[in-house]
Amino acid sequence: MAARGGRGVVRHEPAHRARPRRQAGLLPGQGRRRGDGGTRCRRRAMSGDGIRLLTPEGERVTHPEYGLDAGPEELRALYRDMALARRFDAEGVTLQRQGELGLWPSLLGQEAAQVGSVRALADGDRVFPSYREHAVALARGLDPLALLRLFRGVDHGAWDPDAHGFHLYTLVIGSQTLHATGYACGVAKDGSDAAVIAYFGDGATSQGDVAEAFNFAAVYDAPVVFFCQNNQWAISEPNARQTRVPLHQRAQGYGFPGVRVDGNDVLAVLAVTRAALEHVRSGRGPFLVEAFTYRMGAHTTSDDPTRYRDSAEVESWRAKDPLLRLERLLRREELADDAFFAEVAAEGEALAVRVREGVRSMPSPAPEELFDHVYAEAHGEVDRERAEFAAYQASFAEEG
């Protein structure tokens, strides 16, 4: 029957008609969730942390929809990427504590989410980061000193986004999702098969920019993967203060798929991101990946996480360490030995030395450089202001 009210018509299904139901946030065939976070028929492949292919104990598990046939060389490369990113990040924290950097946002604990996702990308794909994607930047071939110049205050992020398909860091929370969506729409109109990925945190999902990006991307079938690193804390605000449902379920309200993956499982992240990229390349619109992980350190070096979270929570996540679980797999299957791990550690120390020396030898920018990148082309008013500023600076030298 139909109930009329105003100009609209509301139709009610007959009571005897069974309507198909699907768990929000799950793709067809993934099974219904139970209260303990598993599924009735695929318990080994799902956990409360999401789709999983590698347990914290280093055992492989299977998933019928998100398989990954990673050989020894690929597994060792994934471990190397994560280990180098962790060592670089640790050096960033140290440099800030020594007064060499103004600020540093640590990625500790999020290595698998970043490395697994970036290794799923093709060379022509575009990355729109927030400000913590150091492992993504390194994997895309960006000079680590380019990141450190930004946090030292030498420049505002002066790398060329075209060189590595990696755009500038964005400290305005969530705005990069709109940039990524717009770029993805352009890619689609150009007829390219490239895809776009936008990284953001759980706190950014409370921003209007992200909601607008989701809606716009869905309406225009933009080939963009929204990659949310849910590290449980938006500075001092926990997930419970951000959302009433798992974040990946929000995608369904906009009409596109969303999946939660164990963000500390680099194999699962790689498999899920590959599937998401295939989805967006095929013209089926955007895809949301929620990488369920944990921020082991402070939000930034200006933050004290002991004021708002307890040590028991941190220790529970330490047992899920992404590097340790992949190391356990490599040792369990005899795919890497002590010599390999020692070699990676030595490479990490060499990287730390290089960035440490590079940061300490960075020259301060000339004051006149303030005017260099205001506009893409020369501008008469800027040229006049530059000349006036140069004369002002020179007046101090004349006065002795």
Side-chain angles (χ1 to χ4, degrees):
M1 68 180 192
R4 297 184 180 272
R7 298 175 61 187
V9 177
V10 180
R11 299 194 179 275
H12 299 286
E13 296 287 349
H16 65 274
R17 182 178 298 175
R19 303 187 67 185
R21 298 180 64 186
R22 179 163 64 86
Q23 175 75 27
L26 295 181
L27 295 179
Q30 280 186 268
R32 294 173 58 83
R33 275 189 177 276
R34 305 188 314 175
D36 61 1
T39 61
R40 289 176 179 168
C41 58
R42 295 168 187 162
R43 190 177 305 172
R44 294 195 69 216
M46 290 292 295
S47 72
D49 295 345
I51 294 167
R52 175 177 288 172
L53 299 180
L54 182 62
T55 71
E57 295 73 31
E59 295 183 67
R60 296 202 208 208
V61 293
T62 59
H63 192 283
E65 296 177 42
Y66 297 101
L68 183 70
D69 185 20
E73 185 175 347
E74 185 173 17
L75 292 172
R76 288 192 292 266
L78 291 169
Y79 179 87
R80 175 185 174 275
D81 284 354
M82 289 196 295
L84 294 182
R86 178 169 291 189
R87 186 63 189 91
F88 170 69
D89 178 68
E91 193 61 28
V93 173
T94 300
L95 287 167
Q96 194 283 327
R97 298 305 189 204
Q98 294 173 344
E100 301 290 350
L101 303 178
L103 189 73
W104 185 251
S106 175
L107 64 73
L108 184 62
Q110 299 178 218
E111 297 88 354
Q114 295 191 17
V115 170
S117 58
V118 70
R119 285 307 179 194
L121 299 174
D123 289 342
D125 293 340
R126 284 279 178 154
V127 177
F128 285 79
S130 57
Y131 50 79
R132 200 187 301 274
E133 280 69 55
H134 316 317
V136 179
L138 295 180
R140 293 297 277 184
L142 200 72
D143 182 358
L145 290 174
L147 301 177
L148 295 168
R149 281 196 294 270
L150 171 64
F151 291 100
R152 188 173 172 85
V154 173
D155 59 41
H156 297 294
W159 61 84
D160 180 3
D162 289 332
H164 305 286
F166 186 86
H167 286 255
L168 300 181
Y169 271 4
T170 307
L171 275 70
V172 177
I173 306 300
S175 64
Q176 73 276 14
T177 59
L178 287 171
H179 306 155
T181 298
Y183 193 93
C185 287
V187 166
K189 285 186 176 295
D190 289 342
S192 171
D193 62 354
V196 176
I197 187 168
Y199 289 91
F200 52 96
D202 48 290
T205 63
S206 295
Q207 296 290 331
D209 285 5
V210 176
E212 292 168 11
F214 282 6
N215 188 62
F216 204 93
V219 169
Y220 290 96
D221 289 329
V224 56
V225 173
F226 295 109
F227 194 90
C228 175
Q229 294 176 81
N230 182 357
N231 64 20
Q232 312 301 308
W233 290 92
I235 307 182
S236 60
E237 294 296 323
N239 271 189
R241 300 290 291 273
Q242 297 288 321
T243 181
R244 293 294 299 274
V245 299
L247 293 175
H248 68 279
Q249 293 185 8
R250 291 190 178 184
Q252 189 177 41
Y254 294 89
F256 60 90
V259 168
R260 173 181 282 185
V261 62
D262 184 343
N264 284 18
D265 175 357
V266 69
L267 304 186
V269 173
L270 177 57
V272 169
T273 309
R274 280 179 177 170
L277 289 165
E278 181 181 354
H279 173 94
V280 305
R281 288 188 211 282
S282 68
R284 289 179 283 170
F287 197 108
L288 171 62
V289 177
E290 177 195 358
F292 200 73
T293 182
Y294 195 77
R295 190 195 78 214
M296 294 299 296
H299 174 69
T300 69
T301 45
S302 65
D303 172 43
D304 179 8
T306 63
R307 299 182 63 183
Y308 54 82
R309 66 185 191 188
D310 58 55
S311 59
E313 178 182 281
V314 177
E315 289 306 313
S316 70
W317 278 92
R318 198 180 304 279
K320 304 176 185 180
D321 182 88
L323 265 74
L324 182 56
R325 72 168 69 179
L326 185 53
E327 179 181 347
R328 286 169 173 165
L329 170 67
L330 291 170
R331 291 187 182 276
R332 179 190 298 273
E333 298 187 358
E334 297 183 350
L335 303 177
D337 55 15
D338 289 341
F340 166 77
F341 293 108
E343 179 183 347
V344 172
E347 190 175 353
E349 290 305 314
L351 174 62
V353 170
R354 183 168 83 83
V355 299
R356 189 182 315 136
E357 294 176 348
V359 165
R360 291 173 175 169
S361 62
M362 283 180 184
S364 298
E368 292 79 11
E369 291 183 16
L370 176 69
F371 302 91
D372 287 351
H373 302 290
V374 177
Y375 294 104
E377 299 177 357
H379 190 284
E381 184 65 19
V382 174
D383 291 342
R384 183 187 64 77
E385 291 174 352
R386 180 191 288 108
E388 289 181 357
F389 184 73
Y392 172 73
Q393 292 287 107
S395 68
F396 291 100
E398 293 172 0
E399 293 175 2

